[in-house]
Amino acid sequence: MDLDALSGVVAYKHTGDAVTTVTAAVDRITINHPLQSICDLELSGQVTYATGRSSMEISLQVAKAPKKDQQVKKEDILMTCAFTMVSLDPATKKPVAISPLQLDTAEEKNLFALGERHMNEKKALAKKALRKQTPNDEESDLIHAMWLKQLEYHGISIPRTAPTQTQLIRSIDPNIPTRKPQNLTYMSATTLHSSQIMQPQYRNRHNFMIFGGFLLKQTFELAFCCCAAFSHTRPTFLSLDPSTFENPVPVGSVLYLTATVAYTSPASSSSSSTPNPDASNNNSNDDTAQANDDTSTPQYTRVQIRIDSKVRNIEHGETKPTGQFNYTFLVEGMGKVMPQTYSEFMIWVDARRRAEGVKARVGNTTTKEVVEQPGMGG
């Protein structure tokens, strides 16, 4: 909630009080370095991308508070994040143009270019969404392999080559099923739900809509509980994927949240500070191992939790989606999730694509560095 509040302060410093500024999206929240000791923290932020339209990108960081007259060191930056804020006309609630950034230094130009790249990446990701494109060949092969494995779990084995007598018996005898691994859970069994009435103390400063930071807090807590229930361990937060607030949540409405374990992948437990150059490209091997019941046990597992949210107007019974939030946690041990329906397979494919981006962002933080630090569980 503090980060969202700070992004609002930064936005108003750029636009002034003549407009209403709302949180449109949380673009990224990433743990850069674990907190190793109790200390004072410094939250800072600035507008890094604004072209003169209604939206702007606010980049924030949480770092150890530096000593007087000293700059924050790179290794003291604990968390970075970015929010997209939109300015609205207070009367019409329609987007209004704001002042573009004036770039004077090389650092400002680099930050602006980075914000522009983030904007282009979001547009490219939207074009590749599963609502617009079917799974690619590799993803289709993985889906088919998991589907075949499910049939075996239910005693319906389909031999991939000319069947032997044993294979032929198994393919028609439901009394000889392949044993489902104990560490494998069907996606439908991981779901958690919550519902709550939206109280006025959580509204924002301009109207009777709920503060975006409060919504983030609720989704994070449910995601944490879902991951803990799945892994039977205390999860360690790694990152939040880009998330968009689709519809506002009025005071007095009912907020419904649904959490699901969408994807799991083994995480390296190496204590070496040198990142693995193939860390962002080994998802295919991990998923192939899952489809083939690889029994190797990695020390840690990355778990991606998907939160679907919707709001219901009590008086009229109207329900609208408010956003989708994708959290990534690190847990001890090996746990796997398997989809069963087509809708669950699409959730799995979408999460797998996101996991590739998460690995690229957090690959420099080793598993040992993350899990051994106090206070990183929640």
Side-chain angles (χ1 to χ4, degrees):
M1 294 176 67
D2 293 337
L3 294 174
D4 193 20
L6 178 59
S7 67
V9 172
V10 173
Y12 278 112
K13 190 174 182 179
H14 180 75
T15 63
D17 293 332
V19 299
T20 298
T21 301
V22 298
T23 305
V26 184
D27 292 331
R28 295 165 308 281
I29 296 181
T30 305
I31 299 294
N32 294 65
H33 297 93
L35 181 62
Q36 302 183 23
S37 59
I38 298 176
C39 62
D40 292 333
L41 300 178
E42 177 188 84
L43 279 67
S44 59
Q46 60 182 324
V47 179
T48 52
Y49 184 71
T51 61
R53 305 185 69 178
S54 62
S55 64
M56 70 193 98
E57 181 183 83
I58 312 292
S59 296
L60 308 175
Q61 72 176 29
V62 179
K64 295 180 181 178
K67 295 181 180 180
K68 187 176 181 180
D69 299 327
Q70 292 186 3
Q71 298 293 324
V72 174
K73 299 178 182 179
K74 185 176 181 181
E75 59 270 21
D76 289 339
I77 299 176
L78 307 176
M79 177 189 295
T80 58
C81 58
F83 287 76
T84 297
M85 312 295 288
V86 174
S87 295
L88 306 175
D89 184 284
T92 64
K93 306 302 180 184
K94 294 184 178 180
V96 295
I98 60 174
S99 301
L101 285 178
Q102 178 179 327
L103 308 176
D104 296 324
T105 67
E107 181 182 3
E108 291 175 348
K109 293 178 181 178
N110 290 336
L111 290 173
F112 186 88
L114 183 61
E116 186 174 28
R117 192 186 76 185
H118 292 157
M119 182 66 67
N120 293 332
E121 287 176 350
K122 286 195 292 184
K123 291 180 179 179
L125 185 63
K127 292 180 179 179
K128 296 190 296 183
L130 288 169
R131 288 180 178 270
K132 298 180 180 180
Q133 289 188 4
T134 59
N136 59 35
D137 292 342
E138 180 186 12
E139 293 164 344
S140 297
D141 290 342
L142 291 170
I143 290 173
H144 187 70
M146 284 192 289
W147 175 73
L148 290 176
K149 187 58 63 176
Q150 284 183 48
L151 296 182
E152 294 183 10
Y153 294 155
H154 291 83
I156 309 174
S157 178
I158 300 179
R160 295 172 176 79
T161 59
T164 64
Q165 184 176 3
T166 302
Q167 290 175 323
L168 187 59
I169 293 175
R170 177 173 290 180
S171 66
I172 60 176
D173 187 356
N175 297 316
I176 315 178
T178 300
R179 185 180 296 276
K180 182 171 74 69
Q182 292 184 351
N183 66 330
L184 188 145
T185 306
Y186 288 123
M187 187 179 292
S188 58
T190 68
T191 301
L192 287 182
H193 301 275
S194 75
S195 58
Q196 54 187 311
I197 191 76
M198 294 292 97
Q199 303 291 349
Q201 63 264 36
Y202 300 119
R203 72 180 183 90
N204 60 40
R205 57 179 289 190
H206 296 289
N207 49 43
F208 283 88
M209 298 299 172
I210 297 300
F211 179 50
F214 174 76
L215 298 178
L216 283 177
K217 177 177 180 292
Q218 299 306 304
T219 60
F220 173 81
E221 290 179 353
L222 185 61
F224 183 92
C225 293
C226 180
C227 188
F230 168 75
S231 64
H232 304 290
T233 62
R234 186 174 180 84
T236 299
F237 171 71
L238 290 182
S239 68
L240 167 65
D241 278 9
S243 307
T244 301
F245 294 99
E246 298 180 23
N247 288 291
V249 179
V251 170
S253 61
V254 178
L255 179 68
Y256 297 94
L257 302 178
T258 301
T260 304
V261 177
Y263 181 78
T264 59
S265 62
S268 172
S269 59
S270 173
S271 60
S272 171
S273 60
T274 304
N276 179 4
D278 298 324
S280 61
N281 299 317
N282 60 5
N283 277 343
S284 177
N285 294 333
D286 298 340
D287 299 326
T288 302
Q290 173 171 326
N292 292 313
D293 283 349
D294 186 357
T295 57
S296 60
T297 305
Q299 191 173 356
Y300 298 99
T301 301
R302 283 191 176 94
V303 180
Q304 188 172 140
I305 306 295
R306 167 170 164 159
I307 303 288
D308 292 294
S309 62
K310 59 183 180 180
V311 60
R312 182 175 182 179
N313 183 301
I314 295 179
E315 288 79 9
H316 303 286
E318 182 183 20
T319 302
K320 294 181 179 180
T322 59
Q324 176 186 317
F325 305 86
N326 298 274
Y327 292 90
T328 300
F329 296 92
L330 191 71
V331 300
E332 189 173 356
M334 181 177 68
K336 298 178 181 180
V337 66
M338 176 173 282
Q340 291 178 287
T341 67
Y342 188 80
S343 294
E344 290 177 353
F345 277 117
M346 294 303 99
I347 291 175
W348 185 87
V349 169
D350 178 69
R352 179 178 181 272
R353 293 177 178 180
R354 294 176 183 275
E356 295 177 353
V358 171
K359 282 190 175 183
R361 291 200 302 273
V362 303
N364 290 338
T365 302
T366 66
T367 302
K368 182 178 178 64
E369 288 175 336
V370 172
V371 300
E372 290 186 350
Q373 305 307 328
M376 288 298 295

